[in-house]
Amino acid sequence: MTQKHAIQLFEEKKVRTVWDDKQEKWYFSVVDVVGVLTESDNPRKYWSVLKTRLKKEGNETATNCSRLKMQAEDGKQRLTDVANVEQIFRIIQSIPSPKAEPFKLWMAQVASNRIDQLQDPELSINQAMLDYKRLGYSDSWINQRLKSIEVRKELTDEWKRRGVEEGMQFATLTDIITQTWSGKTTKEYKRFKGLKKENLRDNMTNTELILNMLAETATTDLSKEQNPETFEENMNVAQKGGNVARSARTALEKELGHSVVSPLSVKKYLKSTLRDEQELSENNNE
């Protein structure tokens, strides 16, 4: 299964999902669905009891649920029961809830949107923009972030052409690029920003995104020019690409008089913005 994990929102409640590219199907976290429909304080226990009852009744849906790793509340990847749309519909029938019909309509729309996006990639971009705006990102940052996704895709496509393996080798080359231009490995960079499982690029400032894009674009161009054949040669190209961005960073910081590698993250920014708005409101009320 080629997996694409995503968080969907139903009435502001999170539902973890996985898209299977091969089967063109969504898989939904059963516990999350149960939580939405029952509003139970312990949806995991509710599902455990319901699953046992369904199995005793000979209901194949409960038996056939797959298990996939999804990010849990503690940030770790843990196995959880998942079900496709048809299976979820059968489970919903066993849960008395006034939200059953609205939830069915929502699930159908989620599935329909994904099929439409496969036919028209521009819809995926529009959806990404809406998701980022809902999280509080600015328009200028969103434009940079979407461009960075394109740049990253061009780089990983180039690596694949050079025989670089996804997973560890991709991560190693990314680490080289990041450390060369920023002075920090990806892990150190995330720790610097106070991140755990969050995406590093989603927590970069505009300037950091631009420098990272420069490093990755330079690496792609250099790879096409130098045609590295071994992983060691790809590592050398990655360092050269990172050096291009490091030179730009050094020149900019010389003019600014301070580092552009920022401890700022989205959470910190949004908290700061909310605090400023609250203080402004309090001052206006005095």
Side-chain angles (χ1 to χ4, degrees):
M1 179 190 294
T2 303
Q3 299 177 6
K4 178 184 177 181
H5 292 251
I7 297 292
Q8 310 287 347
L9 292 177
F10 173 77
E11 296 183 354
E12 303 304 317
K13 293 185 178 180
K14 294 181 179 180
V15 179
R16 291 168 295 170
T17 63
V18 177
W19 173 257
D20 181 347
D21 280 334
K22 187 175 181 180
Q23 297 185 45
E24 294 191 354
K25 287 184 177 181
W26 278 114
Y27 285 86
F28 296 78
S29 163
V30 179
V31 170
D32 292 352
V33 173
V34 169
V36 168
L37 295 177
T38 65
E39 298 185 339
S40 168
D41 292 333
N42 193 342
R44 193 173 302 279
K45 183 177 180 180
Y46 190 106
W47 167 235
S48 178
V49 173
L50 176 61
K51 181 165 60 172
T52 300
R53 177 169 65 80
L54 292 176
K55 285 182 178 180
K56 287 181 178 179
E57 294 173 356
N59 190 311
E60 294 184 1
T61 301
T63 304
N64 295 334
C65 280
S66 303
R67 301 201 81 204
L68 294 175
K69 282 189 175 182
M70 289 184 161
Q71 185 169 314
E73 291 182 0
D74 60 5
K76 295 182 179 180
Q77 296 291 320
R78 301 186 184 279
L79 283 173
T80 187
D81 287 342
V82 297
N84 60 34
V85 174
E86 293 80 8
Q87 290 171 325
I88 289 291
F89 278 178
R90 295 191 186 100
I91 291 172
I92 291 174
Q93 291 173 354
S94 304
I95 301 175
S97 171
K99 295 185 178 182
E101 289 307 314
F103 192 81
K104 286 181 183 179
L105 293 174
W106 174 81
M107 284 184 62
Q109 188 61 50
V110 167
S112 174
N113 287 346
R114 182 56 185 166
I115 298 298
D116 290 343
Q117 288 168 8
L118 291 173
Q119 302 299 321
D120 185 357
E122 186 176 342
L123 294 175
S124 295
I125 297 173
N126 292 337
Q127 185 60 53
M129 292 180 69
L130 290 173
D131 290 341
Y132 278 125
K133 285 184 74 70
R134 187 170 60 242
L135 291 171
Y137 291 91
S138 69
D139 288 341
S140 62
W141 185 93
I142 293 171
N143 289 333
Q144 294 291 355
R145 182 67 179 99
L146 293 179
K147 183 62 179 177
S148 75
I149 293 172
E150 177 187 340
V151 167
R152 177 68 180 178
K153 180 66 165 54
E154 290 177 358
L155 174 59
T156 55
D157 285 348
E158 173 63 18
W159 282 343
K160 289 176 184 177
R161 283 193 290 271
R162 300 300 169 194
V164 179
E165 297 177 3
E166 294 186 56
M168 185 61 70
Q169 290 191 347
F170 270 32
T172 299
L173 295 181
T174 300
D175 236 15
I176 291 172
I177 294 171
T178 304
Q179 185 171 26
T180 302
W181 80 259
S182 72
K184 301 179 186 297
T185 63
T186 303
K187 187 175 182 179
E188 291 169 342
Y189 210 153
K190 293 179 74 170
R191 190 183 303 122
F192 179 61
K193 287 181 174 288
L195 307 176
K196 292 182 179 180
K197 294 293 183 179
E198 299 93 333
N199 186 292
L200 176 59
R201 291 176 181 82
D202 280 351
N203 288 274
M204 285 183 172
T205 64
N206 272 329
T207 303
E208 289 172 308
L209 274 176
I210 291 169
L211 288 171
N212 197 65
M213 281 193 287
L214 175 59
E216 294 191 332
T217 299
T219 301
T220 302
D221 291 345
L222 288 167
S223 179
K224 291 177 180 178
E225 184 70 25
Q226 298 181 9
N227 301 315
E229 297 181 357
T230 66
F231 183 63
E232 287 71 22
E233 289 176 350
N234 276 286
M235 291 172 65
N236 185 47
V237 170
Q239 187 165 30
K240 289 179 179 178
N243 277 329
V244 172
R246 182 174 65 179
S247 296
R249 174 195 163 196
T250 300
L252 177 58
E253 290 179 343
K254 183 178 180 181
E255 295 296 326
L256 293 173
H258 61 79
S259 175
V260 296
V261 177
S262 170
L264 189 67
S265 67
V266 173
K267 286 183 179 179
K268 293 176 183 176
Y269 172 77
L270 292 178
K271 284 181 180 178
S272 175
T273 301
L274 180 60
R275 184 171 59 251
D276 291 344
E277 290 176 351
Q278 288 175 339
E279 290 177 356
L280 180 61
S281 176
E282 289 172 0
N283 291 336
N284 289 336
N285 291 332
E286 290 178 353

